[in-house]
Amino acid sequence: GENVEQHPSTLSVQEGDSAVIKCTYSDSASNYFPWYKQELGKGPQLIIDIRSNVGEKKDQRIAVTLNKTAKHFSLHITETQPEDSAVYFCAEERGSTLGRLYFGRGTQLTVWP
Amino acid sequence: DVKVTQSSRYLVKRTGEKVFLECVQDMDHENMFWYRQDPGLGLRLIYFSYDVKMKEKGDIPEGYSVSREKKERFSLILESASTNQTSMYLCASSPTSQETQYFGPGTRLLVL
């Protein structure tokens, strides 16, 4: 299956700045959109998710927005810190393949002190 | 906390060997998944399972098989390892649909 498009592939920001990663999907029946953070040597870990009946969700410095009309969703990290440096993956669950996730190719975020 | 464990963190095998990668989850999850992760390619699904003894092909099943004899255990088998199967292998589990997948720490496999 075709994967989610994720941009940018690399992102460098200064500590305290904001970072935004965007993903675009194609299936209008997609209903679940998680974001994962993968630190070096570890498996990906969920940081935030959103379902198709919600437009925005926030958890402290992290927020996700969903635009169903344009079929894209974005991760926003505010007041970035060096420990936010990691690879971030977006994913979608499609209506036709419940339980299975389709992943973006990842964004390497580097936060400079 | 959900725990997904994988039998090895690092593995070195020779071309042609049969390789078993084991994954165990402790949260009674229905769904289990095997991915491989390569630089620039993200996570690619090899096989997944919605229930015991059930399996579904993912995007890259060639050269792999799986076994799920018990709900908590999902094994990935490389019947005859080849150098292009050198990769990071990640196992994951989830309770049902529209729920997150929980990942293990990964097995880095090198095939010589």
Side-chain angles (χ1 to χ4, degrees):
Chain A
E2 201 173 311
N3 280 353
V4 183
E5 278 193 32
Q6 181 173 346
H7 295 284
S9 56
T10 61
L11 181 58
S12 291
V13 299
Q14 201 74 35
E15 182 177 1
D17 287 350
S18 295
V20 180
I21 304 169
K22 184 176 173 178
C23 287
T24 304
Y25 62 98
S26 56
D27 185 355
S28 57
S30 292
N31 49 32
Y32 176 62
F33 306 90
W35 284 91
Y36 290 85
K37 175 183 181 182
Q38 186 177 25
E39 296 174 330
L40 206 58
K42 297 183 179 180
Q45 194 166 19
L46 178 79
I47 54 171
I48 196 166
D49 58 10
I50 192 167
R51 289 174 174 77
S52 57
N53 58 347
V54 175
E56 183 173 0
K57 185 176 178 181
K58 193 171 180 181
D59 182 3
Q60 299 182 343
R61 296 186 298 108
I62 294 171
V64 56
T65 57
L66 172 64
N67 183 329
K68 288 194 293 182
T69 304
K71 295 198 189 75
H72 63 71
F73 57 110
S74 299
L75 177 71
H76 305 254
I77 306 174
T78 59
E79 299 170 28
T80 53
Q81 300 165 5
E83 51 265 39
D84 293 329
S85 296
V87 178
Y88 291 81
F89 292 98
C90 64
E92 65 164 321
E93 181 180 303
R94 299 175 184 170
S96 57
T97 52
L98 293 177
R100 177 187 164 165
L101 295 177
Y102 293 81
F103 285 85
R105 293 194 174 193
T107 297
Q108 172 69 61
L109 173 65
T110 304
V111 181
W112 300 101
Chain B
D1 274 355
V2 175
K3 194 159 185 185
V4 179
T5 56
Q6 295 184 227
S7 50
S8 307
R9 292 301 304 271
Y10 301 94
L11 213 49
V12 181
K13 296 291 181 182
R14 297 233 173 252
T15 303
E17 278 192 80
K18 191 168 186 175
V19 182
F20 293 87
L21 302 182
E22 302 283 336
C23 175
V24 178
Q25 49 95 2
D26 66 356
M27 283 302 291
D28 202 36
H29 284 173
E30 301 293 328
N31 305 330
M32 295 189 76
F33 307 83
W34 274 107
Y35 297 89
R36 66 177 279 176
Q37 183 175 23
D38 301 288
L41 298 180
L43 297 162
R44 293 184 291 167
L45 184 64
I46 305 171
Y47 268 98
F48 59 109
S49 169
Y50 289 134
D51 201 351
V52 176
K53 296 195 187 295
M54 290 183 66
K55 60 184 179 184
E56 299 277 346
K57 291 180 180 179
D59 295 324
I60 50 165
E62 297 78 20
Y64 303 94
S65 62
V66 290
S67 171
R68 193 164 180 204
E69 296 296 319
K70 292 185 178 181
K71 192 174 186 180
E72 68 271 18
R73 189 180 297 269
F74 193 36
S75 302
L76 180 69
I77 303 151
L78 287 65
E79 295 290 341
S80 177
S82 62
T83 54
N84 61 13
Q85 292 179 309
T86 290
S87 187
M88 167 71 92
Y89 290 88
L90 289 161
C91 175
S93 72
S94 70
T96 183
S97 63
Q98 293 198 45
E99 296 287 342
T100 190
Q101 292 182 15
Y102 296 86
F103 284 84
T107 295
R108 191 166 291 281
L109 173 67
L110 173 62
V111 183
L112 299 173

